[in-house]
Amino acid sequence: MADMYPDNQELTMNGETVVYPGVDESGKFTDGDFNNPLKPPSFIPAKTINLLLDNMGGFIKRLGAKPNNHEENQLAAAFEQYVKDLREVKSRFVTFDFTDENHRSVKIAAGVRVRLDIATANGTETRWFETHETVHLNLDAGIQEAVARATTRTNHDEGRNFYGYIVPDFDTDDGVKIVVSCNSTYPNDISEQYTAANTRKLFSFHTLCANAGSNLQGKIAEAPSCGLQVGDKVLVKQYSSEDEDGFYDFYNVTVMGVKTGSKYDVVTVKHPLAGFLSGQILPESVFCIGFQPNSSPEGMVYDVDTDIAVDVYLQSGKGRNTASEFGGAVTNYREHQNHQDDMRHVRKRLLRDHEFSSIAAGSNETTNIKGSSNPVTTGGHIDTDERRMISFIGCEDCCGVFWQWLEETSADGDSDGSDWEIYDGQGDFGQNYYTVRALLAGALWDHSRLSGSRARDGFHARSTVNATFGGRGASHIKRAS
């Protein structure tokens, strides 16, 4: 038999043996021989016709259309629409919804088509999540239900990861809907009917861990004699003015003050997150299956200026338990190399010098944490001026809390007592010849005016272990249709 063609069978009819359906030696249908009545043309069995129609109908459904029995060009039309949608739909198709004043909504772009395969006893059933226009999805009720059903931190929505799943709508024959869950695998916390075999994760987001404050401000550097005046607008994150999702307007903030300088002007601005409350969605934390970190997205936000996802919080945990989580115990007393290993275990890396300045922009500058002591845990802190310690994009504790190892290293040709030194605490994987140093950023919990987004320490060797040194992870962005 060739591919979908039927096998020949010998049938006896009226005492005569007939080969049915009469395919040739290659297994294909034939017109027979018009000069020889003993070589009749092939028949096409009903089973074969049904097989063809079922396969074409199934293919049309996979493309997102509905087959029918009257349109002549439906296969071509379905394929053309599928290709058109692939070209037009942007990868970042789920974003924060800036039109919701309660900051508990996301926006799904028009033209999205996502397949949900459901494992059944009879095989795989395919359903589709589709948007024909922009969808504004209020998640407030879903968030409340998710935290009420959570087995940890029950009824707490602050500083938390949430996930939006496509699930079957069991009240319809082929419909789907979206539910919000605190579970990162599948939403069986919402219903026991939802399993790994009938749900699909569509997006995720993280919520603010503590009120930002209605009067929150930030500072940026502009070129000397920048000309900005109080009341002007200035862009603090470089989104295009053609941005359709609201980020340009969100980051185009009001100037509150200008201090001129010979090297740069210091411009005080209204912080984009001013007025945000705990439990509200961090705008840059919304990721979807078309736009997400190479690592897991938990406790991360996007930075457009460096095109990376970065941890909201200082590192907690070690190795494969490395995390960015609210209230986690800060990981310290750890060599630079071992922080790097921790990050690699979770598909992250430490920040680079210029990246830190970008993700920390908008944080407290020249101040440290209130109390000037080790906070032990991550997130939700205020500085000595009673200001929330949070950057423009939502990163916590960037400045004046812990020094944070950066990725960059340098060899200075100096030695700390011997030519060879163990730099990772044990030396099982080799040693350094002379001293290799690594940058630290952000400054310490009692460094006051020395602290800031541009604060750096270039003195310490990679081998240094200190209670005041921590880390923060970053990951590149994966984009897909």
Side-chain angles (χ1 to χ4, degrees):
M1 180 180 72
D3 300 328
M4 297 171 68
Y5 291 87
D7 291 322
N8 278 332
Q9 303 176 55
E10 290 189 351
L11 304 177
T12 301
M13 301 176 63
N14 298 324
E16 183 179 348
T17 300
V18 178
V19 177
Y20 176 84
V23 294
D24 63 15
E25 293 80 3
S26 66
K28 295 189 176 183
F29 293 112
T30 174
D31 290 330
D33 187 343
F34 293 107
N35 295 317
N36 185 356
L38 297 178
K39 291 185 178 181
S42 303
F43 297 93
I44 301 181
K47 183 178 179 180
T48 299
I49 296 294
N50 292 334
L51 182 66
L52 292 171
L53 292 175
D54 287 343
N55 273 272
M56 285 192 290
F59 183 58
I60 291 171
K61 288 180 181 178
R62 285 278 180 167
L63 294 175
K66 291 186 177 180
N68 58 69
N69 61 2
H70 57 271
E71 291 185 32
E72 295 181 357
N73 66 338
Q74 55 187 296
L75 185 58
F79 187 75
E80 288 173 0
Q81 184 63 47
Y82 179 79
V83 173
K84 181 174 182 287
D85 290 341
L86 284 180
R87 290 172 178 167
E88 291 183 354
V89 176
K90 55 189 176 182
S91 58
R92 196 180 189 184
F93 60 81
V94 182
T95 56
F96 181 81
D97 187 355
F98 290 100
T99 66
D100 177 12
E101 294 181 355
N102 293 320
H103 308 319
R104 300 266 275 196
S105 297
V106 297
K107 183 175 67 172
I108 305 178
V112 171
R113 180 181 289 128
V114 179
R115 189 176 71 241
L116 174 63
D117 288 332
I118 303 171
T120 70
N122 298 319
T124 300
E125 176 192 348
T126 298
R127 300 189 185 190
W128 291 88
F129 172 78
E130 297 178 287
T131 60
H132 302 291
E133 58 186 18
T134 300
V135 174
H136 298 268
L137 194 60
N138 190 307
L139 304 176
D140 184 61
I143 291 172
Q144 292 184 52
E145 181 179 7
V147 296
R149 294 174 177 271
T151 56
T152 60
R153 295 182 62 214
T154 306
N155 292 322
H156 284 271
D157 59 6
E158 72 277 11
R160 189 156 206 156
N161 302 301
F162 293 89
Y163 310 89
Y165 288 91
I166 305 172
V167 301
D169 184 350
F170 293 113
D171 294 329
T172 66
D173 292 333
D174 59 0
V176 297
K177 61 183 180 180
I178 290 176
V179 298
V180 177
S181 169
C182 292
N183 287 359
S184 62
T185 50
Y186 52 92
N188 62 335
D189 55 337
I190 305 303
S191 171
E192 293 181 354
Q193 289 182 291
Y194 302 143
T195 69
N198 65 10
T199 62
R200 183 175 184 181
K201 190 187 301 179
L202 183 64
F203 60 86
S204 65
F205 58 91
H206 191 79
T207 55
L208 185 61
C209 65
N211 295 349
S214 58
N215 297 318
L216 187 64
Q217 298 180 351
K219 295 179 180 179
I220 61 171
E222 290 285 330
S225 303
C226 65
L228 288 171
Q229 299 179 355
V230 173
D232 287 348
K233 292 284 189 176
V234 63
L235 193 64
V236 296
K237 284 293 171 183
Q238 307 312 306
Y239 278 92
S240 167
S241 59
E242 297 178 356
D243 167 64
E244 300 175 346
D245 296 319
F247 288 101
Y248 178 87
D249 293 334
F250 180 66
Y251 289 115
N252 195 29
V253 293
T254 303
V255 174
M256 310 298 288
V258 180
K259 185 180 79 171
T260 59
S262 60
K263 301 298 183 182
Y264 52 85
D265 291 351
V266 178
V267 181
T268 301
V269 300
K270 181 178 180 180
H271 200 291
L273 292 174
F276 273 64
L277 304 177
S278 68
Q280 294 182 337
I281 299 172
L282 284 170
E284 297 285 13
S285 75
V286 180
F287 296 105
C288 63
I289 57 176
F291 183 92
Q292 59 188 326
N294 185 53
S295 64
S296 295
E298 285 80 8
M300 302 191 82
V301 288
Y302 176 63
D303 180 44
V304 67
D305 290 352
T306 55
D307 194 31
I308 60 170
V310 60
D311 286 348
V312 171
Y313 307 103
L314 291 164
Q315 177 188 343
S316 58
K318 300 175 183 177
R320 301 184 196 283
N321 295 318
T322 299
S324 168
E325 61 182 7
F326 174 48
V330 177
T331 300
N332 55 0
Y333 286 110
R334 197 148 174 80
E335 295 84 357
H336 177 260
Q337 172 66 56
N338 295 327
H339 276 286
Q340 288 180 314
D341 280 348
D342 293 337
M343 294 302 170
R344 279 196 290 271
H345 274 110
V346 292
R347 300 197 305 277
K348 297 180 183 179
R349 58 172 172 78
L350 296 174
L351 288 160
R352 300 187 177 104
D353 181 21
H354 73 285
E355 292 171 342
F356 184 90
S357 295
S358 179
I359 68 95
S363 300
N364 53 296
E365 305 282 4
T366 68
T367 63
N368 58 245
I369 191 169
K370 184 177 181 178
S372 302
S373 60
N374 184 350
V376 182
T377 59
T378 62
H381 301 123
I382 58 175
D383 69 1
T384 48
D385 290 340
E386 304 289 329
R387 176 204 190 273
R388 275 282 280 115
M389 307 179 79
I390 189 171
S391 73
F392 288 144
I393 61 174
C395 291
E396 300 270 342
D397 302 337
C398 293
C399 310
V401 183
F402 275 85
W403 281 112
Q404 293 152 66
W405 285 114
L406 299 183
E407 192 75 8
E408 283 90 349
T409 60
S410 65
D412 66 2
D414 193 12
S415 173
D416 290 340
S418 64
D419 292 342
W420 286 96
E421 66 176 18
I422 295 173
Y423 72 96
D424 65 357
Q426 293 179 203
D428 292 314
F429 296 92
Q431 299 184 23
N432 279 344
Y433 187 66
Y434 280 71
T435 301
V436 176
R437 305 186 187 277
L439 275 179
L440 292 143
L444 188 55
W445 56 69
D446 62 355
H447 278 177
S448 59
R449 66 181 182 83
L450 304 178
S451 304
S453 58
R454 296 184 178 183
R456 299 293 186 271
D457 181 342
F459 172 77
H460 291 280
R462 298 180 74 196
S463 56
T464 304
V465 176
N466 197 298
T468 66
F469 297 173
R472 187 184 301 265
S475 178
H476 71 265
I477 294 293
K478 296 189 298 184
R479 292 172 169 87
S481 295

